[in-house]
Amino acid sequence: MRFYNTLSGKREEFKPLHSGRVGLYVCGPTVYDYDHLGHARTYLTFDLLNRYLRFKGLRVEYVQNITDVGHLVDDRESGVDKILKKAQELNQTMAEVARYFEAEHLQDLESLNILLPSKMPRASEHVQDIIAFIEKLVAKGFAYKTERGNVYFSVAKKTDYGKLSHRGIAEIITGTRIEPAKDKRSPADFALWKAAPLGAKEMVWDSPWGKGFPGWHIECSVMSQKYLGETFDIHGSAVEHIFPHHENEIAQAEAVTGQPLARFWLHGGMLTIDGRKMSKSLHNSVLIRQALKDYSANEIRLAFFLTPYRRPFDYTKAVMSQGIALRKKIFLALAGELAAETDSAIWQEIIEALDDDLDTPRALVAWGENVSRLNREDNDKLCQIFGLKLKRLSEDKTAQGLASDREEARARGDYLTADNRKSELAQRGFEVIDQGEKTIYLSR
Ligand SMILES: [Zn+2]
């Protein structure tokens, strides 16, 4: 297997650090709202990686954090705390908001047939670990406390800072969007610990630097190492996190251990909606749950995987219809006769494509064209890798009732009722295809 490693800027042969198992860390959500399709793309990409590594016989320790301490949720180090803002809007505590959206997040992952990570640690339950880690950074001279009770990482002390995003300190300072806080030594320094705002009651902790809360970057360095070791195999997320988030994760972790944090850094491309960046001001965000009203999880997965994971993905009707068409093609072929023996040249083509930095479009085209030339077992393996779930009418009593209702309605010429039943069947995950006398209920 070869993966494109952002750190080296090259495709590299992947061999796990410890034979037989892989440590994988992916930055999780800040739980103050529902997941949108940008989140979906990241989680689907790394779900595919997780599934493919398992297919290869590797045990995957997959850790994804839950950012529930709010506060520093983006590159800016000031501004509105998003969890607090939501809590005020809903007249709830911050903890209630965080737990609610965490549960909804898990629900969204499951509805896309994403395998849950093996561990999903919450930042709020690791504050003591984070404090201990910051103390080490202070002791080693990489961090400093200010009069205001903030603790910053001193970027100038880390001579290889910028190695992931491939830029120098001067460039970072001039190009930075970070508002320079008045108590920082350099505008490029970033917060490890923030003093609690006056009157803050929730989500603040005692620390050697006074009451406060941890920065966002530090939680990932601490929790990834706690569960996967000082150096682990793969760190993944979306391309917009390369700088500053991942650059800072590396700086903090490596300042303490002197060892590389992760060996491979994989980044998924952006997601746009009809050619435009998703943004609050454009009101064009699409939530996962909204997309699932128009497309099945299988269709979303296939449409997304028809674009290489590193490329930008544009969510349009045309692109999604390719997902629908491919789902139909594969599932119709699976419902028909399959070869007793797999054509090894086709199998090899699919595996070679996936081995080559997860070239999913190439693999899917090869599979879609040749489903019936693979045997049942190998087709099942591919369904597992791509996370496709087939429903059978025989397993759904309600759908069976709808199907016989529809047939009766058709027989008596009541086409309005027949059409209604057809759309109800679609809602339950079945596409109705009439082929002359025969009707096929195909999984969506
Ligand atoms: Zn992270």
Side-chain angles (χ1 to χ4, degrees):
M1 275 179 287
R2 294 190 305 156
F3 298 127
Y4 180 87
N5 189 350
T6 307
L7 194 60
S8 64
K10 288 196 290 253
R11 280 177 194 219
E12 294 175 40
E13 189 66 32
F14 176 75
K15 283 252 173 352
L17 194 55
H18 307 283
S19 118
R21 65 188 162 99
V22 175
L24 169 65
Y25 186 87
V26 173
C27 301
T30 302
V31 279
Y32 71 97
D33 210 341
Y34 298 109
D35 291 346
H36 56 58
L37 288 181
H39 302 119
R41 186 163 195 220
T42 301
Y43 303 138
L44 283 172
T45 292
F46 292 100
D47 183 52
L48 183 95
L49 175 65
N50 180 22
R51 287 168 176 274
Y52 193 59
L53 294 168
R54 287 165 180 238
F55 160 79
K56 289 280 183 179
L58 297 160
R59 192 157 63 82
V60 184
E61 291 169 69
Y62 182 5
V63 179
Q64 196 182 99
N65 63 311
I66 299 281
T67 301
D68 60 352
V69 295
H71 307 286
L72 302 179
V73 291
D74 55 22
D75 306 352
R76 277 168 293 122
E77 308 211 317
S78 59
V80 194
D81 177 327
K82 292 182 179 172
I83 297 181
L84 178 62
K85 186 166 165 255
K86 197 67 155 197
Q88 286 165 345
E89 275 169 30
L90 300 174
N91 198 21
Q92 290 183 340
T93 65
M94 289 169 79
E96 281 166 346
V97 167
R99 288 302 161 268
Y100 172 79
F101 285 107
E102 180 187 310
E104 295 299 308
H105 165 65
L106 297 184
Q107 182 65 54
D108 284 338
L109 295 184
E110 278 174 25
S111 66
L112 286 175
N113 201 22
I114 289 171
L115 301 175
L116 291 188
S118 20
K119 273 206 178 63
M120 303 183 86
R122 294 169 178 152
S124 64
E125 290 166 3
H126 292 78
V127 176
Q128 294 317 315
D129 296 316
I130 293 171
I131 289 172
F133 202 92
I134 299 173
E135 283 186 296
K136 283 184 201 163
L137 285 169
V138 174
K140 286 187 166 232
F142 284 100
Y144 58 93
K145 184 203 158 175
T146 70
E147 278 171 15
R148 297 184 184 187
N150 297 320
V151 182
Y152 292 105
F153 186 93
S154 177
V155 162
K157 293 271 162 62
K158 191 81 173 66
T159 49
D160 62 356
Y161 188 78
K163 68 180 174 183
L164 183 72
S165 49
H166 305 289
R167 40 183 154 176
I169 293 272
E171 199 185 334
I172 285 166
I173 292 175
T174 52
T176 192
R177 290 184 289 137
I178 299 169
E179 301 158 34
K182 291 199 177 62
D183 59 341
K184 279 185 189 178
R185 287 182 192 161
S186 156
D189 292 353
F190 57 90
L192 300 167
W193 186 264
K194 292 283 282 181
L198 220 60
K201 289 190 191 74
E202 252 202 293
M203 300 272 191
V204 287
W205 289 265
D206 288 319
S207 81
W209 317 286
K211 265 198 189 331
F213 57 90
W216 174 41
H217 314 304
I218 192 78
E219 76 172 80
C220 282
S221 300
V222 170
M223 294 196 283
S224 61
Q225 290 192 317
K226 174 163 181 166
Y227 295 107
L228 297 171
E230 283 185 359
T231 299
F232 53 90
D233 292 296
I234 304 173
H235 192 312
S237 192
V239 67
E240 62 264 29
H241 287 331
I242 295 176
F243 184 84
H245 184 53
H246 293 162
E247 199 72 74
N248 294 350
E249 281 188 36
I250 290 176
Q252 296 158 155
E254 299 185 5
V256 167
T257 67
Q259 303 298 321
L261 175 61
R263 299 164 57 236
F264 281 74
W265 288 81
L266 269 57
H267 291 98
M270 286 229 327
L271 178 131
T272 49
I273 307 281
D274 292 319
R276 297 203 290 183
K277 215 176 152 182
M278 244 193 289
S279 86
K280 282 247 152 67
S281 55
L282 288 173
H283 300 289
N284 65 343
S285 289
V286 179
L287 301 178
I288 291 174
R289 53 196 63 203
Q290 289 171 323
L292 280 165
K293 289 191 177 138
D294 296 326
Y295 310 104
S296 70
N298 293 324
E299 290 160 354
I300 293 174
R301 297 184 72 105
L302 289 170
F304 278 36
F305 295 147
L306 277 171
T307 295
Y309 79 91
R310 293 182 56 232
R311 294 249 192 93
F313 177 82
D314 194 24
Y315 181 78
T316 62
K317 273 217 162 88
V319 166
M320 294 310 291
S321 67
Q322 291 173 13
I324 297 176
L326 183 58
R327 187 269 306 158
K328 193 165 172 176
K329 190 173 188 175
I330 292 173
F331 287 5
L332 271 175
L334 287 174
E337 207 151 310
L338 300 177
E341 292 282 343
T342 287
D343 182 325
S344 59
I346 292 161
W347 184 253
Q348 210 179 329
E349 161 69 9
I350 295 170
I351 300 306
E352 263 176 31
L354 292 171
D355 278 350
D356 188 14
D357 198 28
L358 301 174
D359 190 345
T360 47
R362 194 177 130 204
L364 282 174
V365 168
W367 183 25
E369 296 298 328
N370 299 289
V371 172
S372 56
R373 294 168 70 187
L374 304 179
N375 68 15
R376 176 75 54 195
E377 198 191 347
D378 289 335
N379 274 303
D380 283 350
K381 282 182 195 157
L382 291 173
C383 285
Q384 192 54 243
I385 290 170
F386 288 103
L388 306 183
K389 217 183 206 169
L390 271 89
K391 287 188 171 177
R392 284 184 185 79
L393 196 68
S394 57
E395 293 158 0
D396 187 336
K397 278 245 154 57
T398 310
Q400 284 168 40
L402 291 169
S404 58
D405 259 21
R406 176 175 179 270
E407 271 157 39
E408 282 165 27
R410 280 183 86 208
R412 62 172 188 269
D414 178 0
Y415 294 110
L416 183 65
T417 305
D419 271 359
N420 286 339
R421 296 298 170 267
K422 189 176 175 174
S423 37
E424 284 163 35
L425 278 159
Q427 291 289 312
R428 285 199 75 83
F430 296 96
E431 181 184 7
V432 181
I433 303 168
D434 296 311
Q435 288 184 336
E437 293 291 286
K438 215 173 100 199
T439 301
I440 297 173
Y441 300 93
L442 194 69
S443 182
R444 283 185 67 216

